[in-house]
Amino acid sequence: MTNNNYVRIFDTTLRDGEQSPGATMTSAEKLEVARSLAMMGVDIIEAGFPAASPDDLEAVRRIAVEVGNPAVPESEARVPIIAGLARANKSDIDKAWEAVQSAKHPRIHTFLATSPIHMKHKLKMDPEEVVQRVSEMVAYAKTFCDDVEFSPEDAGRSDPEFLYVVLGEAIKSGATTLNIPDTVGYTTPEEFYTLIDGIIKHTPGMRDGITISVHCHDDLGMATANTLAGIRAGARQAEVTMNGIGERAGNTSLEEVVMALKTRHPVFDLETGIQTKQISRVSKLVSNYTGIVVQPNKAIVGANAFAHEAGIHQDGMLKHQTTYEIMRPEDVGVNQTKLVLGKHSGRHALRTRLAELGHSLDEVELDKAFARFKELADRKKVIVDADLEAVIADEFYRPRDVYLLNDMQVTCGTMGMPTATVRLRGPDGVIHTQASVGTGPVDAVYKAVNAIVNVPCELLEFNVHAITEGIDALGEVTVRIQGANGHTSMDAQSEAHYPRVYGGHGADTDIIVASAKAYINAVNKLIIAQTESHERVVNDFGVMLG
Ligand code: KIV
Ligand code: ZN
């Protein structure tokens, strides 16, 4: 069994995270997230569940090619393993292999439930059949790929003695990583420690070269504690997601495990390969793309994680930072620099600051960023890092523009009907103009946009918040919409189909403009997803389906 002091970080934001209802990303966004995860130093990227749909397979394949086998790798150590999830059947394994095979380091991750509840009610299989299937399917995956991971789903509620047998068979058939999921977030840290300890001690065939992994869900708020308990017991891979997104209450969050291991290094004496200064940037990227807002008090990445409101805390902080801060905000990429740039700052200063924040832009991108920066500097006296991050997210981390906001005007107040006139540049380059009235200014804008794009959808969620303090602060809007066309995703475990939800993000000093941008952003994703799958049907079958 591998038992050194390095913990591999297996990120499943793009699989367990994205599969959770409401976190849909376009394939371009998935690719961007995968790139950022690789830059941050993640060891394994679980890029998706290829059997879910041809779109999902294609998204994993692109990540395997572009992130898992880049033409110019920065260094060999930086090329992450690309994993694809497969249920324990030949068809899923074939698709997972098809998707990941172009990666330099491909991995097939297959799973089958082992708890009495799942075997009886979900699989309708006897324990003996489960053992047999695991042995056959791990061996089948091994015929394609050297690196095979096996997970006994719902291990947290499985009989440990039965787990030893199943895992022993998986080792015999060639699995080199055994992932132990607490699928429903049921166990306590003590129980999970004992489970992992028992598996390491009693699984037949356990040896050096076999990695034990932990994968915890947060239903009782114990995912991070359970993951750390598993690591203390000897697990050397942690399966996590950015911001802890995932099924129901989510997965263990990457940032919590990584920062716990770093901040409490004397307790754990373990390392990860994560460049922690990238955490804040990747967290924002995932939040913007999924439309899932990070709660303000979320550990490490919440807006208040490093804010000190109470007078007594502020007083302590002024005397010495360590009085109330156990980590430095800079260590996770939250820069405390207040006054960064102003109206008179030049292009070079902007480039330098953006590079310090982890954004390396080419000349054309820098021109665009500089134009946005100047425009903002005319309206806002000081521009802090949070403003720059919002502008970058708004300008670059958004899907290909199908419709683009050209300009808009809104009248509202107590004296009349809120009315919006919106002009969008369409995919054909033509400007479309529409005026609409609504219950409020945002409603009026959204009605005008709907009338132009003519893609039926429902607004599920609308969030607005100010990025910094002050009356001239940038407003950031996040929306989530659902298409009315029956587009669905398939969940790997429950096999349920649920409607895809698209998130959108926009930032501007005018919150109605930010609201328009966020909505257009989400609608563009919906249109792109529809077009992508339509094109795929055309490519796969050579016919146009209406
Ligand atoms: O939670 C779970 O059991 C999973 C498995 C597929 C690893 O996500
Ligand atoms: Zn899971």
Side-chain angles (χ1 to χ4, degrees):
M1 221 233 4
T2 310
N3 191 8
N4 52 29
N5 71 344
Y6 186 81
V7 178
R8 287 176 160 202
I9 298 297
F10 175 116
D11 182 280
T12 184
T13 304
L14 294 170
R15 200 278 299 169
D16 219 341
E18 206 257 354
Q19 244 176 254
S20 67
T24 315
M25 288 182 250
T26 64
S27 52
E29 288 172 335
K30 288 180 188 171
L31 191 61
E32 189 61 41
V33 169
R35 279 205 184 98
S36 296
L37 292 171
M39 265 176 62
M40 188 165 67
V42 157
D43 301 275
I44 301 110
I45 297 175
E46 187 163 54
F49 171 42
S53 72
D55 291 343
D56 288 74
L57 191 152
E58 179 56 18
V60 177
R61 202 192 58 76
R62 272 185 77 187
I63 292 170
V65 172
E66 296 187 33
V67 181
N69 207 348
V72 202
E74 286 187 42
S75 81
E76 172 65 12
R78 276 174 186 241
V79 179
I81 294 172
I82 306 294
L85 185 71
R87 289 166 295 188
N89 66 60
K90 286 189 174 173
S91 160
D92 273 29
I93 292 172
D94 290 343
K95 289 185 177 118
W97 179 240
E98 186 184 339
V100 298
Q101 63 182 310
S102 322
K104 193 164 186 162
H105 309 296
R107 173 179 292 186
I108 296 176
H109 175 193
T110 188
F111 72 98
L112 192 65
T114 48
S115 66
I117 299 174
H118 276 226
M119 287 191 291
K120 181 164 177 217
H121 300 293
K122 186 177 103 161
L123 300 178
K124 303 193 190 328
M125 286 169 84
D126 292 336
E128 296 71 31
E129 290 175 279
V130 166
V131 176
Q132 175 80 12
R133 174 82 71 86
V134 169
S135 154
E136 284 170 10
M137 290 305 119
V138 170
Y140 184 68
K142 195 76 178 179
T143 60
F144 300 111
C145 188
D146 227 25
D147 186 347
V148 175
E149 169 170 335
F150 170 72
S151 295
E153 189 192 1
D154 204 16
R157 292 188 299 170
S158 301
D159 171 6
E161 298 292 334
F162 181 57
L163 280 178
Y164 308 153
V165 175
V166 174
L167 295 171
E169 283 304 313
I171 294 179
K172 233 197 268 173
S173 300
T176 43
T177 301
L178 303 175
N179 176 48
I180 313 304
D182 181 19
T183 304
V184 290
Y186 182 69
T187 59
T188 64
E190 291 75 13
E191 286 168 348
F192 204 60
Y193 178 97
T194 309
L195 182 66
I196 300 299
D197 186 51
I199 286 170
I200 291 171
K201 289 189 176 131
H202 304 301
T203 299
M206 190 64 71
R207 58 181 149 75
D208 259 3
I210 304 287
T211 302
I212 296 297
S213 167
V214 286
H215 175 119
C216 300
H217 282 263
D218 206 29
D219 298 66
L220 291 172
M222 292 189 280
T224 299
N226 285 340
T227 297
L228 292 170
I231 290 171
R232 275 200 304 108
R236 287 296 174 266
Q237 174 176 293
E239 300 204 352
V240 291
T241 62
M242 209 60 223
N243 301 338
I245 64 169
E247 296 278 5
R248 307 178 308 278
N251 287 65
T252 307
S253 78
L254 178 148
E255 61 277 10
E256 291 176 15
V257 171
V258 168
M259 289 314 289
L261 294 179
K262 184 176 164 99
T263 309
R264 305 304 312 276
H265 192 267
V267 174
F268 293 100
D269 195 19
L270 294 168
E271 320 290 335
T272 72
I274 299 297
Q275 313 225 351
T276 61
K277 288 189 160 70
Q278 305 261 344
I279 284 178
S280 171
R281 189 177 74 79
V282 183
S283 158
K284 287 203 182 85
L285 186 73
V286 170
S287 170
N288 290 346
Y289 281 171
T290 56
I292 299 178
V293 178
V294 176
Q295 75 193 57
N297 58 326
K298 167 79 182 64
I300 321 291
V301 292
N304 294 347
F306 295 97
H308 300 275
E309 272 300 328
I312 188 167
H313 288 203
Q314 288 185 349
D315 179 57
M317 284 290 290
L318 290 173
K319 288 180 177 135
H320 202 277
Q321 198 182 12
T322 54
T323 49
Y324 286 99
E325 237 168 46
I326 58 165
M327 300 164 270
R328 292 180 317 155
E330 307 82 278
D331 288 345
V332 294
V334 175
N335 210 293
Q336 294 295 77
T337 319
K338 274 292 174 205
L339 194 152
V340 187
L341 299 163
K343 197 175 166 134
H344 302 292
S345 308
R347 217 165 165 280
H348 179 70
L350 180 68
R351 184 206 291 273
T352 310
R353 191 72 206 120
L354 287 176
E356 282 164 6
L357 293 172
H359 306 284
S360 51
L361 306 186
D362 63 28
E363 291 304 316
V364 178
E365 291 169 335
L366 186 65
D367 282 347
K368 278 196 199 160
F370 191 58
R372 281 290 303 267
F373 163 71
K374 281 288 173 193
E375 191 195 313
L376 181 60
D378 277 341
R379 290 188 268 158
K380 196 170 183 298
K381 276 200 277 315
V382 288
I383 300 192
V384 300
D385 291 339
D387 296 317
L388 289 181
E389 293 282 9
V391 165
I392 291 294
D394 197 41
E395 193 64 45
F396 300 109
Y397 298 148
R398 60 164 202 245
R400 174 162 52 88
D401 291 318
V402 182
Y403 286 93
L404 187 65
L405 180 65
N406 202 67
D407 43 25
M408 57 182 272
Q409 182 177 312
V410 176
T411 49
C412 63
T414 53
M415 286 175 58
M417 301 242 253
T419 309
T421 308
V422 174
R423 297 208 298 174
L424 301 186
R425 183 181 299 276
D428 45 8
V430 174
I431 301 283
H432 304 262
T433 307
Q434 178 73 39
S436 295
V437 291
T439 52
V442 174
D443 186 46
V445 170
Y446 287 10
K447 286 201 169 112
V449 172
N450 286 345
I452 296 173
V453 302
N454 196 21
V455 178
C457 64
E458 188 191 344
L459 179 67
L460 301 179
E461 209 176 293
F462 174 88
N463 282 290
V464 57
H465 84 276
I467 290 176
T468 50
E469 322 84 71
I471 195 72
D472 61 355
L474 267 182
E476 193 170 39
V477 174
T478 312
V479 298
R480 301 214 289 157
I481 64 166
Q482 185 174 306
N485 64 349
H487 241 220
T488 57
S489 296
M490 194 208 352
D491 177 71
Q493 290 153 275
S494 63
E495 302 185 357
H497 290 260
Y498 51 83
R500 290 200 177 217
V501 174
Y502 299 88
H505 167 265
D508 200 279
T509 47
D510 180 326
I511 56 164
I512 308 298
V513 175
S515 307
K517 286 181 175 174
Y519 191 63
I520 296 164
N521 187 197
V523 169
N524 280 342
K525 282 193 206 174
L526 174 60
I527 296 172
I528 290 168
Q530 285 175 353
T531 326
E532 277 179 355
S533 54
H534 183 73
E535 280 166 3
R536 186 120 28 254
V537 170
V538 173
N539 291 340
D540 289 354
F541 301 106
V543 289
M544 290 291 274
L545 302 181

